[in-house]
Amino acid sequence: DIVMTQTPLSSPVTLGQPASISCRSSQSLAHSDGNTYLHWLQQRPGQPPRLLIYKMSNRFSGVPDRFSGSGAGTDFTLKISRVEAEDVGIYYCMQATQFPHTFGQGTKLEIK
Amino acid sequence: EVQLVESGGGLVQPGGSLRLSCAVSGFTFSSYWMHWVRQAPGKGLVWVSRISENENTINYADSVKGRFTISRDNANNTVYLQMNSLRAEDTAAYYCVRGSRDFYGMDVWGQGTTVTVSS
């Protein structure tokens, strides 16, 4: 199985400041069809996860444009341009390039 | 509005069984793969099982293979997870998740139902 490793595990940020989360996969996530099936999820406290970013850089329906994703191969990044209070929670990267789908261990975003 | 509503969770003794249900609405259920993902208390997400639109393809995580069975009823827009021989390590919130039709992966998550395995 592909192992997904996120850093940092905890990220204290100031409201209005940017935040960045990294995700590294144990194998390339480039699929033979040309796509990279690396996705980002957000889980607010007490809530189920929700899809934020799919295929590395595409925002899912309703996701604010302060969220962006980038990367290639085995290294990926989720960025929040200006953190808002509602962004507090745990962020997970997830790969669906290879079966079974696997998740990173999560990064907890909290306000300083 | 797309909705996935899980039910059937609860407290069960080790070795016992539970059947989880996920009733969906707001989309053409029979056109989508469906998944179950679980999250142990305070832990991360773990994919459990998936089923194709017509049940032709079914897969399980190694940790549940031979104990859990996924199925679906397209006439009633419901996906199920039959869980047998439950163990303490199966204690988790179980999420029903829709497979995306636009990319490999999952897009919409249910609220989850909690399973506690304890004597």
Side-chain angles (χ1 to χ4, degrees):
Chain A
D1 297 1
I2 294 179
V3 176
M4 307 297 290
T5 303
Q6 292 181 227
T7 53
L9 296 183
S10 178
S11 179
V13 296
T14 302
L15 287 174
Q17 293 300 303
S20 179
I21 298 169
S22 295
C23 174
R24 176 167 289 179
S25 57
S26 60
Q27 302 173 37
S28 173
L29 298 186
H31 194 277
S32 57
D33 65 5
N35 291 302
T36 298
Y37 296 104
L38 182 284
H39 315 310
W40 289 96
L41 309 172
Q42 176 197 59
Q43 187 173 30
R44 290 170 172 154
Q47 294 294 311
R50 71 158 176 153
L51 181 64
L52 281 182
I53 302 283
Y54 64 95
K55 288 198 302 181
M56 207 167 48
S57 59
N58 299 275
R59 280 186 299 277
F60 191 57
S61 175
V63 174
D65 61 7
R66 64 179 181 276
F67 291 94
S68 64
S70 62
T74 61
D75 290 286
F76 307 93
T77 303
L78 174 70
K79 291 184 178 177
I80 309 174
S81 58
R82 293 173 305 279
V83 171
E84 298 188 4
E86 66 178 17
D87 300 335
V88 165
I90 301 176
Y91 291 79
Y92 296 92
C93 61
M94 173 205 151
Q95 70 81 21
T97 293
Q98 186 181 108
F99 178 78
H101 301 336
T102 49
F103 299 86
Q105 69 271 55
T107 294
K108 188 173 186 178
L109 185 76
E110 50 197 2
I111 305 300
K112 280 183 184 175
Chain B
E1 180 191 5
V2 174
Q3 285 195 318
L4 296 82
V5 180
E6 301 94 334
S7 60
L11 175 63
V12 61
Q13 292 187 338
S17 299
L18 275 179
R19 188 196 199 201
L20 305 184
S21 300
C22 172
V24 315
S25 59
F27 64 98
T28 305
F29 177 67
S30 59
S31 298
Y32 288 81
W33 287 61
M34 296 298 297
H35 301 252
W36 288 95
V37 175
R38 70 184 182 183
Q39 184 173 35
K43 302 296 185 182
L45 302 167
V46 177
W47 175 84
V48 172
S49 182
R50 69 177 180 180
I51 186 168
S52 63
E53 304 96 321
N54 51 15
E55 300 188 270
N56 281 356
T57 301
I58 288 176
N59 302 107
Y60 300 98
D62 287 345
S63 58
V64 307
K65 205 172 291 183
R67 300 187 299 122
F68 289 13
T69 303
I70 192 172
S71 62
R72 65 190 295 159
D73 180 347
N74 285 346
N76 289 297
N77 294 342
T78 302
V79 60
Y80 303 98
L81 188 67
Q82 177 67 43
M83 304 187 296
N84 299 330
S85 303
L86 283 162
R87 307 166 180 167
E89 54 265 35
D90 296 318
T91 294
Y94 284 75
Y95 296 102
C96 169
V97 196
R98 188 179 76 171
S100 172
R101 292 192 66 189
D102 297 323
F103 53 86
Y104 292 146
M106 299 168 274
D107 57 10
V108 182
W109 294 63
Q111 288 290 320
T113 188
T114 300
V115 172
T116 302
V117 184
S118 174
S119 54

